[in-house]
Amino acid sequence: MRLGLVLGDQLSFDLASLAALDPARDAILMAEVEGEARYVPHHPQKIVLVFSAMRHFAQALRARGWQVHYVELGADGNSASIAGELRRWQQALGASEVHLTECGEWRLEQTLREAGLPLVWHRDTRFLCSREAFARWAQDRTQLRMEHFYRGMRKRCGLLLEPDGSPAGGAWNFDNDNRKPLARGLRGPFPAHFAQDDITRGVVALVRLRFSDHYGELDGFDYPVTHTEAQQLWQHFLDFGLAAFGDYQDAMAEGEPYLFHARISAALNIGLLDVRCLCEDVESAWRQGRVPLNAAEGFIRQLIGWREYVRGIYWLRMPEYARLNHLGNTRGLPGFYWSGQTRMRCMAQAIGQTLRLGYAHHIQRLMVTGNFALLAGIAPPAICQWYLAVYIDAFDWVELPNTLGMVMHADGGYLGSKPYCASGRYIQRMSDHCKACSFKVDQAVGEDACPFNALYWHFLIRHRAQLSGNPRLALVYRSLDGMAPARREGVWQRGETLLARLDAGQDL
Ligand code: FAD
Ligand code: SF4
């Protein structure tokens, strides 16, 4: 017989390794292991999500006739690692071959490849662009740009195209219609909620017992853990969120963790949703006149553009990508990233909801917590580890390029053309946080001045050699050069003070 391994982020019925096996004579192995749950202090809700969804998936596979060997975390003999479990079960069952689908994480794939087992690898066909196809696309390009990749993917997938192959609506990208600032009193739809069943309650109790040392709250876990529930979450977004997704993609609001975002990343990343179906649903919603084109295009761009692009870069450049540090940052991560205790209202809101829900939407990750880490010169491994630990949807292949490349510019502009650095004014324009903040967003110097302002100029001044030649930063360097010397000195000193406080372990 042959043995198939199904990992916690591979819970798809059409997984390539399942398709290659025969339920009548082969068996499946699924294992909850300490090593995977602990290699960073994952948010407790992420551990619940993965273990509960695994247990539900094992049940569903059995109902389809598969023989599933499922190893629970506390089971006798659990060797605490995926490679250990695979070896143990391959020997016990006398399996002649072990079938696997490509892993999401380089670290795990490398360990398995070196495990000395009779492995048969299968491509992860759940992604639209294979590792090899991405490498071919990237070959001979000195600069990779998401927009070029995305246009190719639109054509290849036949999404949002006119009959002659041109883009629907006459443009590939409708970002000019998107990114509206927060409208007064704007509220997102009521979030979908999924009640815990007996399986999930059992996993919650296990995680409470075994992972109480991890950051993040466990109460209130309400994520979908089955394919049916994930589909309901998706339908909820199609009905109530998608139409305004484009317009308010970049907005942030007090007490509104989701606004018009789909909250599907965790379900998608572990295999409960299928990216092709999502894109087809979005296109149909637009063709039926239920959502505007800027929303449909903006959403599809996230899925077949950004998501596939960052995965391609990850597999193209690992493992050396994880070691890049173009700006030479060395600062440790401030303690308030783990506690949420800071006077900075935007940071407290983003970190607070992260600890509570394991979720923050893209702009909070990019322009608040990410922007602060960039401006403050946090060492890339420290901030990458944080993002990998605290988000329910975090997997290395998607977290690392987003954090190291997009946020920290640590790859020197390989993934994106410029660092997403911004002062407090950006956060003021896109949110209502500054009104509720004890810092003054219109000030750059003085004890009550918004820390983002001085740190923004400090960042530009200290990295002039690396950044001033970037044409996309020419305007900001011109305004820096036009600044009165006394003011420039003032913001530099305020920046120095703030960084010294971080180095002394003080909160801001
Ligand atoms: P929506 O805003 O509704 O977007 C829809 C979907 O598009 C998402 O579910 C996601 O699958 C995809 N998507 C959107 N932007 C990106 C992107 N930049 N990269 C990849 N996919 C994207 N996403 C993860 O899935 N896991 C991570 O570990 C992760 N880490 C991130 C770290 C940083 C520093 C940043 C800036 C972004 C990160 N993202 C990550 C991307 C993005 O923030 C999340 O996918 C998104 O916030 C998930 O919420 P949502 O489902 O409501 O997304
Ligand atoms: Fe954030 Fe500054 Fe606005 Fe406060 S004033 S919420 S720190 S941007």
Side-chain angles (χ1 to χ4, degrees), residues 254 343-347 368 423-428 431-442 448-453:
E254 290 277 302
R343 267 178 73 197
M344 293 180 284
R345 182 76 184 183
C346 52
M347 290 284 280
V368 179
S423 71
R425 288 222 181 272
Y426 173 85
I427 296 170
Q428 180 191 31
S431 79
D432 56 1
H433 296 317
C434 300
K435 282 186 221 142
C437 185
S438 63
F439 285 114
K440 308 266 182 286
V441 72
D442 50 0
D448 285 335
C450 168
F452 281 88
N453 291 339

Side-chain angles (χ1 to χ4, degrees), residues 237 245 261-265 268-269 299 302-303 306-307 310 359-362 365-366 387 393-395 398-399 402-403 406-407:
F237 173 71
F245 174 83
H261 293 270
R263 202 193 167 201
I264 54 157
S265 47
L268 180 60
N269 291 350
F299 198 82
Q302 308 310 313
L303 289 176
W306 280 112
R307 187 167 185 269
V310 298
Y359 179 89
H361 66 69
H362 187 66
R365 299 188 206 196
L366 180 64
Y387 277 103
D393 57 19
F395 293 91
V398 51
E399 175 278 323
N402 269 297
T403 310
M406 195 187 302
V407 162

Side-chain angles (χ1 to χ4, degrees), residues 134 266 291 322:
F134 189 87
V291 303

Side-chain angles (χ1 to χ4, degrees), residues 17-19 21-24 26-28 58 60-68:
S17 47
L18 283 178
L21 295 174
D22 176 1
D26 300 321
I28 300 299
L61 287 178
R62 285 187 186 121
R64 291 178 177 216
W66 285 97
Q67 188 192 352
V68 181

Side-chain angles (χ1 to χ4, degrees), residues 34-60:
E34 191 91 11
E36 293 304 309
R38 275 206 186 278
Y39 76 94
V40 293
H42 295 292
H43 197 294
Q45 293 196 32
K46 179 181 175 193
I47 306 177
V48 170
L49 170 78
V50 174
F51 286 179
S52 175
M54 283 173 72
R55 290 181 186 196
H56 283 93
F57 190 64
Q59 269 189 353

